[in-house]
Amino acid sequence: MSTAPINVQSGNFWLSISRTFGAFFSLIPFRYLPRRPIFLAGHILMGICLALSYEFVRNGQPDMVVLLLCCFMIAFQSSMGSGFFMYIAEVGTEPAMGLSLCCVMICSIGASALTPYLISLPGFGVVDIMLSLAVLQMISVFCIFMWMKETAGLSLAEKQVLYATGDST
């Protein structure tokens, strides 16, 4: 058995396996749990994975970075990956909330598109990207905790009342 560091090809393989596993696993929590705690737990786990990745990138341990990115992918797919689109479908009846969620996705796509540029900036590398993403995950946890409304099991009329009253519980 080889003890050589992980290479790009095997890293991509494990990330793909993790993403697939997370997508299949996501069917379980959304069937039995409310959405808000799933999103909170997912963002907390993603933030922890990114913060630890920051440390392992700084210390030159690529195998641990790949392991943590695999854990990140499982947490993402199990929470935001499929759940975000279910949540959009449920709250899309309220135009302001639907527009807000659309902006979140546009910002996510923008962050993905800008990452290669940011890494190439002098004095701003992979370590800084990992730390920045970890901080953004913690900001997301705060935003979800403060403003995301639970819609699991509510009828359309109940959702409209929920949005009209502004109650976030």
Side-chain angles (χ1 to χ4, degrees), residues 121-134:
L121 289 177
F124 197 87
V126 174
V127 173
D128 303 303
I129 292 289
M130 291 298 183
L131 183 60
S132 300
L133 292 174

Side-chain angles (χ1 to χ4, degrees), residues 4 18 33 44-45 49 58 61 84 97 104 107 117 128 141 143:
S18 301
L33 299 172
I44 289 169
L45 288 172
C49 289
R58 269 181 8 122
Q61 296 176 296
F84 188 80
M97 188 58 115
V104 168
C107 289
Y117 169 74
D128 303 303
V141 167
C143 292

